[in-house]
Every structure is written in C-alpha cells, then in structure tokens.
C-alpha cells in the first residue's frame, strides 16, 4: 500500500513539474521580443490604427457572427499581431466582401487579412508570408456519376463564389462556364438540390458550412493538378514597412499558439498526450480511475458543445427562414412593380396598334412606331431588373426560334434613332454583305444586348459618331461567329473603370449617374447574356476619346431559309434594272455599290446633282440602257432630294419616268408624308439595311421572287380561318377594349367577363359554344387561378391562355399547375398575341363552327405531327421525309414499354438518355408536342423529382402513343405528301 502511495505521489509530482515546465515554456515563447527596424518602429508610431477589410462569410477563416463580432483563424492571428506590435487593427463594419475588396483597391482600407494570392490582385497589393494553407476541391451531388475529376468540368457550368480566388482561377479556363453565387452556402445548396452540377471551393470552408446547414448528399474530389492554396495578409502596395512588421509578427507565433488556433476552428480538439501517463498508470494500477475521470470530463464538455451547436443550428434555421421571407418579399415586390408598370404599357402598345389600323398617314405611322418602341424601351428597363434577378438565381434561359437578323437590326436602330436625334450626332451602320440573314436562336436576347450597347454609346457621346459594324468572323458547319462592334467618340474610360465595367449597379463613379442616368445594370446583363450564349465581349477605351465594344456570338444559321433567300435574290430578278445613286458620302456610296452588286443590279454613283445629270444625259446620247431606278439622298442635291426626284420624273430625256427612292436622315421621319405626296416610289431611312433596300426595290418594280413559299405566306396570315368563339376574362376596361378590338380584327368572336367568377359562370352556361378562354390572373372577386381550377373541374380539354403582367420566375409554371397550358405576358405584341391564339386553336381538337366546311386532313388540328415543318427541315423532299418517318417508327416501336420498365426500376440516368434521344429525333420530324413533353420529362429525370417524373411520364406516354399511330397511318398510306 505504501508502495502504491509512493508511486502515485511521484506521478502527481511529475504532472505538476510538467505543467510548470510547459507553462514556463509557453510564457517564454509569448514574451519573445521582436527586433523591429527603426523604419518599422516609425511606421508603427505614425500609423497606430490599421483599417481592415474582411469577408463576413468566409467561415472558418474569417466571419462576422450574429452578434457582430469578428471571428475566425485570421481574427486570432490578428489578435496576436496586435499583442506583439502594439498596433490597433479595426474592422470596417457593414461591408460585403466585394465592397471591402473595392475599398482596399482604392486604398480606403489598409489590409485584407485573409486572401489568397492571384496575379490580378498583385497589381494592387503587397503580400505577407503565407500563414495558413487550404485545399481547393470539387463538390458534386453524391448521385452525380459524370464528374470525377477536374477534366470532367470542361464544357460544363460550375458554381463558384463571385470575387473569390476560385472565381479568378476558373476564369482562366475558357471551356468552363461559371455560375456566380454571392455566398458559398448558396452554391452548395444549389448543388445539393440539383440546380448546379458542381461547385469549386476550399475544403475547410465548404465542410464547415455543409455541417452547419445539415447538407448530407454531397461528395468531393481533390483537384489533383492543384497544390494546396495559402492565405496571406494583402497590404496596400505603398506600405512595404507594414508587410515586414506583419511577417516578423507571424514568425514569432510559436507552435503551441498555432495548434491552439487550428484546434479551435478546424474541430480537432487538442488533448494532452496520455501515452506515458497510461503506461505509468498501468504500472501503478490507477488507469481505470484516470479513464473514468477523463470520460466524465469529456462527457460534460461534449454535452455543453452539443447544446451550443443545437443553439447555433436553431439560430441558423431562424436566419434561413428570415432570408427566405426576405426573398419572398423581394419576389412580391418585383411582381407588383412589373404588374403595375406593364398594365399601362399594354394600353400604349395596344392602342398604337389599333390606331395604325385606322388609315393614318405615313408620318403618323412612323410616330406610332416610335411610341411603341419607347414603350418597349421602358419595358426593357423592367426586364433588365427582372433579368438581373433571374441571373442572380441562375434561372435565365435561352429560347431557340427562327429569326431574321436584319429585322433585329431594324428594331435596334429604330429604338436608337430617338436618342441619336436628341444628341445630334451621326450614326453609321456597316453590315458586311457576307453576313447571313437567317438564324436559329434567341433574337430578343440578342436585341437586348445590342440595344444596351448602342444606347450606352449614344448616351455617352455628346458629339461625333457612333458606328455599328457587323461582320462574319468564321463559319463551321452551320455555326457562324458574328461580330457586332459598337464604336463611339464619347467620353471614354480610364483602365480602372474598364475593370469594373460589368459589375452590377456600378457606373464608374457617382457623376456618371448624375449626368447620364441609368441603373448600372445594362452592361452586367450584356456580359451575362453573352456568356450564356457562349460568346465573348471585348472592350477598348481611351479617356476623352471614345470606346469600342465588340461582341462575338456563335449563331446557328438557318441554312434552308438562307438558300431560299439567295434564290430570291438571283440576278435574273433585276436583269432589266439599271440604277443611279446620288449621295455625297463616300462611305454610303461604297455601301450601296456593294449592295447593288450583290443584288445583280447594274449601278453607277454620283456625288453631286450635276454629276448625276451628266451621267443621265450621257446614257441617253449614247443610246445606252436608260436608268430606270434613281436613289437619292435627301441632303445631297441643292434643292434637297424630294425636289430633285420630282423634277427628274418630268425630264423629257426619259421615255418612261424612272422609279425613285429617297434616302431619309434618321431624324426626319416626318418626311414620309412628303415622299408619299410627291409620288416618290419608296422612302428608306438611313443607315441603310441591305435587306430593306432589296425588299423596297422588289416592291416598286412588282417583281415576283422565284421562291415565295407557302409556309412563309401562311405565317404572315393573321386572320382566323373560322370565327372561333373566345371568352375574354379581364377586369381592366382599357385592356379589355384593346384585346377585344385586336381579336375581332383577326376574325374572332369575343365574349367578355369582368372577373374570374363571371368567367366561370359564363363558361358553365355557354360551354358547348366556346373554343378558347383568355384568362387574366389578378382580378377582384375571384382571380384567374381559382377560376381556371373551377373550369378544369368540369372540362379538361378547353384551352385556357393565361394573361398576366407578372413576368417573374415561377408564374408560368404556376399557370400550368392550374390548368392554363399557355401563357401570354403583358404588354403583348398584338401580332404575336394573335399568332399564339391561332397556334393554340390549330393544335386543339376544337369543334368547328357551324358552316365552316370540311377540313383538309393534312391540316387537322388534332394531329401531333407537323408534316410541313418536318419536310421543311430536310429541304422539302416528301419522299425523303417518308423514309425518315419509317426509320423513326422502326427504331422507337418498343420505347414506351422499355422506358416504363426503366423508370419503374428508378434507373433515372438511363431513362434520361432514352428520353433525350427521343426528344432530339422528335424535334427534327416536326413532332413539337412530343419534343416539349420529352424536354420536361428529361428535366424531371435529371433532378430525380418523383412527383414530376410521374406527371410528365404520363403526358409523354400518351403523346408518344398518339404520334406513333399518326406515323403508322402515314406509312400505310405510302406517302408523306
């Protein structure tokens, strides 16, 4: 017993002296004196307070907690530096990381204490020695089997925190598309719920947040090619002494202090080394007592930690709910703003459309067009805000539709013309003749990009010229890279402004907003839309000299329409036309010469009235082929163009008066009435768009193009084939009047209801006589959603088109969930409004109005296969289309059974592959309904959403079976004509 007591006493003494030694060692390490130079001591005396810019959400490295206290690995290092140097380091409050970074760049803040080193940042900061390392990794959903390494990210969209070092790192890889998130937590949640495929960040921060937010379905891969990254103090580049002071302070931090910091924030609790104690305890027989004591200690500590973490999780949950409420309020505000502004805009565009139908003069027609464009411009500002909100949420999508680039350019120029006129500057268009005209893509987004850039150029140019050039840079297969360059002679920018050009709400400096106005969103949206289209944007600018913006977009050429238009422009159309151009501008003369050469028209040019008359007399004296087309600039002749062309038609030198075209300045649309009154055949506004000039010549010479297809004629016919009966449910009397007038002009019969309840009651009393319902969403008494639900409870087939001024994400999906399968956004384009209604009527099995007559089976509204569209896609060959249908039928005959079995086995990845294949081939044969159903089913399968999979699989199966029956009938008939 005495022996045991002796051993135990020795054990206690050893522990006592060990602790004393450790304490002495620790105290000695802490008391190390740093040998500062005199220059460093002077710096500390002159700058006792250092201002820091921090990332409030860079956990666990640095962050601001719910009580507003700065914490983290960097914070603990800063505390030691202050202790060792006597410096006071204060945190700039209430700043986001982006704001803190910008202020540090401008030297409003002195140090960024927790950053990685990048080439871009080194031009603004000096760096300390690294004080902490972290590993860059890839996080994916655990069900993702396609991404296993960094190489698998090529060609994909990757989530990343904006303005982070990972953002800079990934930006150097052109083939990786970035989806920027303001927070790491938001990006991780997006990968967890399937919105994003992958996220690149550092392991420690991401792991910390994954645990904090209870995310359980992610896995990660280390980027093999990447060495561990380091954290540094970034110091303003004019304070090298501070860098040296920080380096010496960091080097004086001993190992015990470093371990304590790491254990505190990375979750590895430091514990004493009990191996020797246990060995001694084994000898003296008290190991059990020690283990019990330690266990009790840790149990108590763990309980406290669990309670602390539970409280933290509850606080995080409350914060998350608060953020969700804030997002909901933001969405409600956007919806309200959009609705309130769009409703009067709908009245402006609708009334302008109706006034145009009342026989207005040419000038009044131009002014009405300007009014409509101004409304669209205002709508564009609303769309900028909504688009920015969608871009922030990663919800913006591109459409794919056929479009005419020249019409897009015409819209852009029309919108810009008012600003150009107001500024009193010159606007020059230069479109290369080798640029194709017809494409597939999203014309609205391209128009939005160009309007933003041209509006900016005009806004910031007080004198001189804005030029707009369009070039074809390269072509491969059916993809053509088109370059749009907008150059101005405006205020220009210095390099620092160029660097911040695409930052949302940033306009270089506050004076820009005061002088020129604007939201500061336009260029940010331009950059995001360009990236979304896989394009590029370059900017060159010189302060007080001007700027050049070049956008390069890879566009899919509509080869068939392009070939058809080429045939229409064959030289034999104009073999009897000889033109004379009177224009003082050399650039315009060159452009017109190139145009006429491409049209196959013989043309000469003159720079003055005298030179033009000399050419006319010379042709007459030499018995040459006479000029039968004269195109003159309004400003070139002495008496101006109208008088010149009037007098020219009276010249006895002509056996027959020539056809005449007047080129009108962009700011003088008022001249169109005079052009009409003077008997001039055609007026065209500068800058000249070749296709507009071409169509004008076709019109005045009454030339029938060799290829005028039935499809194009049918697309422009906006008169209903039968007087279908439409129920219009709308509470706004102005919108009601406009919609009724437009519908009746299209040959449709209209009944009205003032709210959802009236609409439902009218439907129940007239169900058999109605063909389609137009349903507003927000109405008193009963809204459109409730009314649609009641109608759907008794009729699942009648088409209901939702009409709403809400344009935020989710509204269209909400309409579909209430049985409104189609959607029209206000303010609507009247022609597009009618076309949508006629398309819906065409695709529905609608009872034909009495006396309508027998329908042609090829155009039966019940058919799912659009034969005309399918044949158009392969050049209009019926025999080849029949062979394609046969191959489609044979290849897919067993798909319905196979797909059902695979989905029942929950092999969603394999099912998505099958549906993707069906989607592609169905779109190519003109089976649009099946294409749409397959698209939605593929999305549901990729997201593993069971409810949506069941819903869209049922729709897909029903549509697929009906389509196969239609194809079978065609194959049995032996012809696809």
């Amino acid at each position: 017993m005495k022996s045991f007591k002796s051993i135990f006493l020795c054990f206690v003494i050893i522990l006592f002296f060990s602790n004393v030694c450790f304490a002495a060692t620790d105290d000695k390490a802490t008391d190390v004196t740093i040998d500062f130079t005199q220059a460093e001591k002077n710096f500390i005396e002159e700058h006792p307070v250092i201002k820091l810019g921090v990332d409030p959400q860079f956990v666990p490295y640095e962050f601001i907690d719910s009580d507003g206290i700065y914490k983290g690995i960097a914070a603990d290092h800063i505390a030691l530096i202050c202790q060792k140097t006597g410096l006071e380091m204060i945190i700039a409050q209430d700043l986001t990381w982006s704001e803190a970074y910008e202020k540090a760049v401008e030297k409003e803040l002195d140090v960024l204490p927790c950053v990685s080193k990048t080439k871009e940042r080194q031009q603004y900061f000096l760096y300390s020695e690294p004080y902490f390392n972290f590993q860059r990794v890839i996080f994916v959903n655990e069900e993702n089997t396609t991404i296993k390494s960094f190489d698998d990210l090529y060609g994909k969209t990757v989530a990343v925190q904006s303005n982070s070092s990972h953002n800079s790192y990934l930006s150097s890889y052109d083939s990786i598309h970035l989806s920027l998130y303001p927070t790491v937590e938001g990006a991780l949640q997006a990968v967890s719920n399937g919105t994003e495929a992958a996220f690149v960040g550092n392991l420690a921060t991401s792991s910390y947040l994954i645990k904090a937010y209870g995310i359980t379905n992610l896995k990660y891969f280390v980027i093999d090619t990447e060495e561990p990254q380091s954290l540094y103090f970034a110091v303003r580049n004019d304070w090298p002494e501070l860098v040296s002071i920080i380096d010496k302070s960091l080097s004086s931090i001993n190992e015990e202090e470093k371990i304590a910091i790491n254990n505190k924030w990375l979750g590895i609790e430091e514990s004493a080394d009990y191996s020797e104690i246990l060995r001694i305890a084994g000898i003296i027989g008290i190991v059990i007592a020690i283990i019990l004591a330690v266990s009790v200690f840790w149990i108590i500590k763990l309980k406290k930690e669990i309670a602390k973490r539970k409280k933290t999780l509850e606080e995080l949950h409350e914060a998350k709910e608060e953020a969700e409420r804030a997002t909901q309020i933001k969405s409600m505000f956007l919806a309200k703003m959009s609705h309130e502004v769009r409703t009067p805009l709908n009245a402006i565009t609708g009334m302008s459309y109706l006034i145009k139908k009342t026989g207005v003069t040419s000038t009044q027609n131009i002014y009405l067009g300007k009014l409509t464009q101004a409304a669209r411009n205002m709508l564009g500002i609303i769309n900028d805000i909504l688009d920015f909100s969608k871009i922030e949420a990663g919800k913006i999508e591109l459409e794919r539709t056929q479009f005419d680039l020249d019409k897009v350019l015409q819209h852009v120029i029309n919108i810009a013309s008012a600003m150009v006129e107001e500024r009193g500057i010159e606007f020059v268009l230069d479109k290369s003749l080798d640029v194709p005209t017809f494409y597939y893509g999203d014309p609205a987004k391209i128009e939005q990009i160009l309007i933003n850039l041209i509006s900016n150029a005009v806004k910031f140019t007080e004198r001189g010229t804005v030029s707009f050039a369009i070039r074809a840079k390269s072509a491969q297969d059916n993809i053509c890279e088109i370059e749009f360059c907008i150059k101005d002679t405006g205020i220009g920018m210095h390099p620092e402004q160029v660097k911040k050009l695409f930052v949302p709400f940033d306009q270089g400096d506050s004076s820009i907003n005061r002088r020129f106005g604007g939201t500061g969103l336009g260029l940010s949206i331009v950059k995001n839309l360009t990236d979304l289209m896989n394009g590029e944007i370059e900017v060159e600018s010189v302060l007080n000299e001007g700027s050049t913006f070049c956008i390069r977009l890879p566009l899919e050429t509509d080869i068939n329409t392009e070939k058809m238009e080429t045939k229409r422009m064959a030289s034999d159309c104009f073999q009897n036309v000889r033109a004379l151009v009177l224009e003082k501008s050399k650039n315009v003369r060159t452009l017109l010469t190139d145009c006429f050469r491409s049209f196959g028209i013989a043309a000469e040019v003159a720079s003055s009235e005298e030179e033009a008359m000399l050419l006319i007399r010379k042709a007459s004296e030499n018995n040459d082929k006479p000029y039968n087309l004269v195109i003159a600039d309004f400003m070139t002749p002495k008496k101006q163009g109208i008088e010149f062309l009037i007098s020219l038609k009276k010249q006895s030198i002509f056996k027959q008066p020539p056809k005449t075209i007047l080129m009108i300045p962009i700011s003088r649309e008022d001249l169109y009435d005079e052009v009409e009154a003077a008997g001039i055949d055609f007026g065209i506004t500068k800058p000249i768009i070749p296709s507009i000039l071409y169509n004008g010549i076709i019109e005045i010479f009454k030339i029938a193009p060799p290829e005028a297809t039935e499809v194009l004629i049918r697309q422009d016919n906006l008169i209903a084939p039968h007087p279908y009966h439409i129920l219009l449910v709308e509470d706004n009397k102005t919108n009601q009047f406009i919609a009724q007038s437009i519908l009746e002009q299209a040959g449709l019969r209209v009944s009205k209801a003032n709210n959802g309840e009236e609409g439902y009651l009218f439907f129940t009393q007239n169900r058999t006589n109605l063909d389609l319902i137009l349903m507003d969403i927000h109405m008193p008494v009963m809204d459109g959603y409730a009314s649609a639900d009641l109608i759907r409870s008794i009729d699942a087939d009648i088409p209901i088109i939702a009409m709403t001024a809400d344009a935020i994400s989710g509204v269209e999906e909400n309409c579909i969930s209430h049985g409104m399968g189609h959607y029209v956004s206000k303010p609507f384009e009247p022609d597009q409004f009618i076309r949508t209604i006629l398309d819906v009527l065409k695709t529905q099995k609608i009872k034909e109005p009495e006396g309508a007559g027998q329908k042609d089976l090829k155009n039966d509204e019940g058919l799912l296969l659009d034969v005309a569209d399918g044949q158009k896609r392969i050049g209009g060959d019926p025999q080849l289309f029949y062979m394609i249908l046969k191959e489609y039928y044979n290849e897919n005959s067993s798909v319905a059974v196979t797909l059902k079995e695979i989905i029942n086995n929950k092999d969603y990845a394999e099912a998505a592959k099958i549906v993707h294949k069906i989607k592609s081939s169905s779109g190519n044969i003109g089976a649009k309904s099946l294409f749409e159903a397959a698209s939605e089913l593929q999305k549901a399968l990729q997201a593993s959403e069971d409810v949506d999979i069941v819903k869209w699989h049922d729709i897909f199966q029903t549509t697929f079976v009906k389509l196969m029956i239609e194809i079978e009938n065609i194959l049995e008939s032996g012809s696809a004509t």
Side-chain angles (χ1 to χ4, degrees):
M1 188 69 181
K2 288 182 179 179
S3 176
F4 172 79
K5 288 182 177 179
S6 299
I7 293 171
F8 183 76
L9 183 60
C10 290
F11 168 66
V12 171
I13 292 171
I14 291 169
L15 282 179
F16 174 78
F17 280 105
S18 297
N19 286 333
V20 170
C21 291
F22 283 131
T25 304
D26 192 63
D27 289 342
K28 183 179 179 182
T30 306
D31 292 337
V32 169
T33 302
I34 302 174
D35 185 20
F36 291 122
T37 66
Q38 188 58 47
E40 291 164 351
K41 292 176 182 177
N42 293 341
F43 181 90
I44 293 173
E45 186 176 347
E46 292 168 5
H47 304 281
V49 178
I50 305 298
K51 293 178 287 183
L52 306 182
V54 304
D55 186 342
Q57 297 178 330
F58 192 23
V59 293
Y61 304 105
E62 65 172 3
F63 61 98
I64 306 295
D65 70 8
S66 58
D67 296 325
I69 299 172
Y70 176 56
K71 293 181 176 180
I73 292 170
D76 287 357
H77 281 83
I78 290 167
L80 290 173
I81 291 172
C82 291
Q83 176 185 326
K84 294 170 185 293
T85 63
L87 288 170
E88 181 184 1
M89 294 189 172
I90 61 173
I91 310 302
Q93 298 294 322
D94 302 322
L95 296 179
T96 65
W97 168 240
S98 295
E99 291 168 345
Y101 181 84
E102 291 297 330
K103 286 184 176 294
V105 169
E106 298 297 335
K107 294 185 174 59
E108 294 178 28
L109 298 178
D110 306 321
V111 177
L112 301 176
C114 191
V115 297
S116 58
K117 187 187 295 186
T118 67
K119 185 176 180 180
E120 178 187 1
R121 292 172 177 172
Q122 284 181 286
Q123 60 185 313
Y124 305 112
F125 304 105
L126 300 173
Y127 282 85
S128 71
E129 291 298 319
Y131 66 91
F132 194 86
N133 294 330
F134 64 91
Q135 183 68 52
R136 182 175 285 140
V137 296
I138 305 165
F139 278 89
V140 298
N141 194 293
E142 62 186 12
E143 296 181 1
N144 189 315
T145 60
T146 61
I147 298 176
K148 297 179 180 178
S149 68
F150 186 80
D151 291 344
D152 295 332
L153 298 182
Y154 295 141
K156 293 184 175 62
T157 298
V158 177
V160 68
Q161 185 185 21
S162 59
N163 286 333
S164 67
S165 64
H166 314 293
N167 183 358
S168 302
Y169 171 72
L170 292 175
S171 296
S172 63
Y173 292 88
D174 294 337
S175 60
I176 297 178
H177 313 298
L178 302 186
S179 181
L180 302 181
Y181 283 78
T183 66
V184 174
E185 184 268 335
L188 289 169
Q189 291 284 11
V191 176
S192 176
N193 63 33
T195 304
E196 301 288 356
F199 164 72
V200 170
N202 77 67
L203 179 58
T205 298
S206 303
S207 298
Y208 184 98
L209 291 172
I210 285 169
K211 292 174 184 176
Y213 287 90
I215 301 172
T216 60
N217 64 337
L218 298 183
K219 58 185 178 181
Y220 72 87
F221 303 99
V222 174
I223 298 177
D224 296 330
T225 58
E226 268 289 286
E227 293 295 328
Q229 304 298 302
S230 299
L231 293 179
Y232 303 78
F233 282 76
V235 179
R236 52 191 288 177
N237 56 17
D238 58 345
W239 282 5
E241 296 88 355
L242 182 56
V243 177
S244 178
I245 292 168
I246 291 172
D247 281 341
K248 289 180 179 180
S249 302
L250 289 173
S251 65
S252 72
I253 298 174
N254 61 48
E255 288 302 315
E256 287 77 15
E257 290 170 331
K258 292 178 182 177
I259 291 170
I261 293 172
N262 290 351
N263 290 346
K264 178 180 178 181
W265 295 109
L266 299 182
I268 306 169
E269 295 292 347
E270 184 179 16
S271 58
D273 185 359
Y274 291 111
S275 60
E276 186 66 16
I277 296 173
L278 289 175
R279 188 179 69 81
I280 298 172
I283 297 172
I284 65 176
I286 61 170
V287 64
I288 297 174
I290 294 174
I291 292 173
L292 287 174
V294 172
S295 298
V296 169
F297 169 76
W298 281 110
I299 287 170
I300 294 171
K301 188 168 184 179
L302 284 171
K303 282 184 176 180
K304 290 181 179 179
E305 184 65 24
I306 289 170
K308 183 179 178 183
R309 291 196 178 191
K310 280 184 76 173
K311 184 179 179 182
T312 302
L313 285 173
E314 288 172 1
E315 291 173 350
L316 286 171
H317 182 69
E318 291 176 4
K320 182 181 178 184
E321 288 184 343
E322 183 66 28
E324 288 174 349
R325 283 194 294 271
T327 300
Q328 188 176 15
I329 292 170
K330 172 186 170 184
S331 297
M332 290 174 63
F333 167 74
L334 288 174
K336 181 73 173 175
M337 181 195 72
S338 171
H339 186 276
E340 293 302 318
V341 179
R342 284 171 179 269
T343 299
L345 284 180
N346 190 58
I348 294 171
T349 55
M351 293 299 288
S352 298
Y353 177 83
L354 293 172
I355 293 172
K356 283 185 176 182
K357 300 285 187 179
T358 61
V360 296
T361 66
S362 297
T363 299
Q364 289 171 333
N365 192 54
I366 294 293
Y367 290 158
L368 286 169
K370 294 284 186 185
L371 179 64
T372 303
Q373 291 292 358
R376 289 176 183 158
N377 206 17
M378 186 176 179
L379 180 63
I381 296 174
I382 300 169
N383 289 337
D384 273 357
I385 298 171
L386 295 174
D387 280 351
F388 180 71
S389 179
K390 290 179 184 177
I391 289 167
E392 274 192 318
K395 298 290 186 183
I396 198 160
E397 295 179 354
L398 294 176
E399 293 183 356
R400 183 184 182 276
T401 185
Q402 184 198 52
F403 69 95
D404 180 341
L405 180 60
D406 281 347
K407 288 185 178 178
V408 171
L409 298 179
Q410 192 174 11
H411 290 163
V412 171
I413 291 169
N414 285 343
I415 291 171
S417 64
M419 292 182 67
V420 170
E421 178 182 357
E422 182 181 336
R423 281 292 194 189
I425 60 177
E426 183 182 9
F427 183 77
V428 177
L429 175 71
D430 179 12
K431 180 192 173 194
S432 177
L433 294 172
D434 63 350
V435 175
T437 301
F438 297 93
Y439 302 89
Y440 286 104
D442 193 329
K445 296 291 188 296
I446 295 172
E447 188 172 320
Q448 189 177 1
I449 289 172
L450 298 178
I451 288 172
N452 264 312
L453 292 177
I454 292 177
S455 297
N456 260 16
V458 174
K459 180 167 68 175
F460 296 122
T461 303
E462 297 179 339
R463 62 181 63 84
T465 303
V466 171
S467 59
F468 180 23
I470 304 98
R471 299 283 184 269
K473 300 300 290 183
S474 63
Q476 187 173 3
D477 298 329
N478 63 330
I479 302 298
C480 186
E481 185 181 64
I482 306 300
E483 181 182 73
F484 304 91
C485 279
I486 294 91
K487 183 176 182 180
D488 65 65
T489 58
I491 62 175
M493 295 172 284
H494 57 69
E496 293 304 315
Q497 287 177 310
V498 174
K499 289 176 184 176
K500 298 188 290 183
L501 201 57
F502 301 112
V503 177
F505 302 106
D506 195 317
Q507 292 189 309
D509 58 61
S510 58
S511 65
I512 297 292
N513 181 267
R514 290 195 298 270
R515 287 176 62 195
F516 300 102
T519 63
L521 281 176
L523 290 179
S524 172
I525 292 170
V526 165
K527 180 68 165 65
N528 279 283
L529 292 180
T530 301
D531 291 344
L532 199 61
M533 295 182 189
N534 298 319
E536 299 175 346
I537 181 168
E538 291 182 358
V539 185
E540 293 181 3
S541 187
V542 178
L543 192 62
N544 299 323
E545 292 185 17
S547 305
T548 301
F549 287 77
C550 285
I551 299 278
R552 283 181 287 277
L553 298 177
L555 300 180
E556 179 185 354
T557 310
D558 181 359
I559 297 173
N560 292 331
T561 307
E562 199 70 37
K563 288 179 178 177
M564 181 187 73
E565 288 300 311
T566 301
K567 290 181 181 178
R568 293 181 68 221
M569 293 178 64
S571 59
D572 56 359
C573 291
F574 302 113
Q575 59 185 346
N576 295 319
V577 177
R578 185 183 182 191
L580 174 63
V581 177
L582 174 55
E583 167 62 65
K584 62 185 176 183
S585 168
K586 182 179 179 180
N587 290 336
V588 178
R589 291 200 305 271
T590 302
L591 171 65
L592 291 174
T593 301
D594 292 341
C595 285
F596 283 124
R597 186 184 301 114
S598 69
F599 298 162
I601 294 178
E604 283 81 38
V605 295
S607 59
S608 66
E609 184 176 348
E610 292 77 13
E611 186 180 354
M613 293 307 301
L614 183 63
L615 288 171
I616 292 171
R617 283 192 291 271
K618 185 176 179 181
S620 174
E621 292 168 359
N622 296 338
N623 294 318
D624 291 342
K625 179 180 175 181
Y627 296 107
N628 54 358
L629 172 63
V630 178
I631 175 169
D633 172 49
F634 176 75
M635 300 297 294
T636 297
K638 295 175 181 177
K639 296 182 179 180
Q640 298 188 329
I642 294 177
E643 289 80 356
F644 173 75
L645 292 178
I646 291 174
S647 65
L648 196 65
K649 287 202 171 194
K650 297 176 181 178
Q651 293 281 341
S652 58
I653 197 170
F654 292 106
K655 294 181 181 178
Q656 280 188 319
K659 300 292 185 182
T660 51
I661 297 177
L662 181 69
M663 293 184 287
I664 299 171
I666 193 171
S667 60
R668 293 298 308 274
E669 288 89 352
D670 57 296
L671 293 172
Y672 276 95
D673 280 348
E674 294 184 42
V675 168
E676 191 173 0
I680 295 171
D681 297 289
F682 190 74
I684 183 170
T685 306
K686 286 183 170 182
I688 304 297
I689 298 176
S691 66
I692 306 300
L693 176 61
Y694 172 82
N695 290 333
I697 298 171
I698 285 284
E699 179 183 330
I700 63 179
F701 279 98
K702 306 275 191 296
I703 297 172
E707 299 284 341
T709 66
E710 182 182 348
V711 174
L712 292 177
I713 293 172
R714 191 163 59 247
Q715 283 179 343
D716 292 332
N717 181 13
L718 295 180
I719 302 299
H722 310 294
Y724 292 110
H725 189 186
I726 309 294
L727 172 61
L728 172 64
V729 187
E730 165 69 71
D731 66 307
N732 185 290
K733 294 295 183 183
T734 302
N735 286 342
Q736 202 178 80
F737 169 76
I738 291 170
Q740 180 182 5
S741 301
I742 293 171
L743 293 169
E744 288 177 347
Q745 287 181 2
L748 300 165
R749 293 182 296 131
V750 181
S751 295
K752 296 178 292 182
N754 297 310
N755 57 61
E757 183 178 71
E758 284 187 21
Y760 168 67
L761 293 175
F762 185 93
F763 173 76
T764 59
Q765 297 165 9
N766 300 273
R767 178 179 174 185
T768 58
N769 297 321
L770 283 174
D771 296 309
L772 182 143
I773 299 172
L774 287 168
M775 181 73 72
D776 189 29
I777 299 300
H778 300 291
M779 293 179 289
V781 185
M782 180 184 289
D783 66 22
Y785 293 128
S787 182
D789 288 340
L790 290 173
I791 292 171
R792 281 286 173 251
S793 68
I794 57 177
D795 191 324
D797 297 323
I798 187 166
I800 305 177
I801 299 179
M803 300 188 302
T804 179
D806 291 349
I808 62 172
S809 178
V811 173
E812 186 169 0
E813 292 79 1
N814 204 15
C815 292
I816 292 172
S817 69
H818 286 275
M820 292 178 277
H822 307 275
Y823 175 94
V824 173
S825 178
K826 299 177 185 175
F828 47 72
E829 292 286 343
D831 287 344
Q832 186 60 46
F833 178 55
I834 294 297
R835 187 173 287 112
T836 299
I837 293 172
L838 295 182
D839 287 344
V840 172
L841 289 168
K842 180 180 178 182
T843 57
Q844 296 292 323
K845 291 183 178 178
I846 299 171
K847 182 181 75 65
E848 198 172 68
E850 186 176 351
Q854 184 65 34
K855 294 179 185 176
D856 183 350
L857 289 176
K858 289 187 292 183
N859 296 318
D860 191 338
E861 282 115 348
L863 294 181
L864 298 174
L865 182 66
D866 189 339
V867 174
D869 180 69
Q871 290 184 0
K872 179 185 175 184
R873 291 172 183 273
I874 59 166
D877 187 340
Q879 186 175 358
L880 177 58
F881 185 68
Y882 178 89
M883 294 171 64
I884 291 173
L885 289 182
K886 186 175 181 180
E887 182 64 26
Y888 180 97
Y889 184 87
N890 293 336
E891 185 179 12
N892 299 314
S893 56
S894 61
V895 160
V897 176
T898 304
L899 183 62
K900 184 176 182 181
E901 182 179 346
I902 292 174
I903 289 178
N904 288 341
N905 292 333
K906 293 190 178 296
D907 188 357
Y908 295 156
E910 184 61 28
K913 293 178 183 178
I914 295 173
V915 173
H916 176 76
K917 183 178 178 182
I918 292 292
K919 179 182 74 171
S920 177
S921 55
S922 299
N924 288 333
I925 65 171
K928 298 175 184 175
S929 297
L930 184 59
F931 176 89
E932 293 168 1
S935 298
E936 296 299 329
L937 178 56
Q938 184 182 352
K939 290 178 186 176
L941 288 166
Q942 290 171 337
S944 298
E945 294 287 347
D946 290 338
V947 175
D948 287 341
I949 288 172
V950 172
K951 170 188 170 183
W952 285 106
H953 182 225
D954 289 342
I955 296 172
F956 174 91
Q957 291 286 73
T958 302
T959 309
F960 179 80
V961 171
K962 289 181 179 179
L963 176 67
M964 293 296 279
I965 292 172
E966 288 183 21
I967 294 176
E968 186 176 13
N969 292 336
I970 291 174
L971 296 178
E972 288 177 357
S973 71
S975 172
T977 56

